[in-house]
Amino acid sequence: MSRIALLIGLCLTVTCASPSAPITPAALVNATPLSPPAWYASAYAHMEQCSGLSGDYARVRWYHVPGSLVHGPDAGGYAAAVTYPSLHTIVIADFYASDTLVVRHEVMHDLADVTSHPAEWFDGKCGDLMP
Ligand SMILES: [Zn+2]
């Protein structure tokens, strides 16, 4: 198990006391901070509204990586984007940074605080969020 996977596991079982804990997820290796476009905030607000969940858009840290794949927390895993809900950190590949479905999908991970895809959140009140 990689160090980041271990950290995520710990964060899921014991609520993180410090969301700003200084860690370096594997996904951030080639990532640089992203200044989110204004519509990300709208998408976040929309997802809060349809899900009934409340989050804090301001605490989300956005990163992007060049290309179309982000290193996932699993060994050898890649994805269009990776969200670390307990860290309120979303890493998105440039190719998908303008994709509303991908952004809404990652926002749902943050709001629902899940690393999996329960139908309740990914095919429920907010519609089908699976690519
Ligand atoms: Zn997902």
Side-chain angles (χ1 to χ4, degrees), residues 87-100:
L87 303 171
H88 306 294
T89 296
I90 296 175
V91 185
I92 191 164
D94 282 340
F95 185 79
Y96 295 100
S98 298
D99 187 316
T100 54

Side-chain angles (χ1 to χ4, degrees), residues 105-106 109 115-117 122 130:
H105 178 107
E106 302 310 321
H109 276 297
T115 54
S116 58
H117 303 105
F122 290 89
M130 297 304 291

Side-chain angles (χ1 to χ4, degrees), residues 32-84:
T32 50
L34 171 68
S35 297
W39 70 267
Y40 279 26
S42 304
Y44 196 95
H46 174 77
M47 297 307 285
E48 283 183 304
Q49 193 173 30
C50 65
S51 67
L53 297 168
S54 60
D56 181 359
Y57 178 74
R59 75 183 170 187
V60 177
R61 285 175 291 178
W62 299 88
Y63 291 86
H64 67 122
V65 296
S68 59
L69 294 172
V70 178
H71 276 281
D74 299 323
Y78 290 90
V82 173
T83 297
Y84 298 85

Side-chain angles (χ1 to χ4, degrees), residues 10-36:
L10 288 173
C11 286
L12 291 177
T13 46
V14 293
T15 304
C16 283
S18 170
S20 59
I23 71 140
T24 309
L28 296 185
V29 168
N30 295 317
T32 50
L34 171 68
S35 297

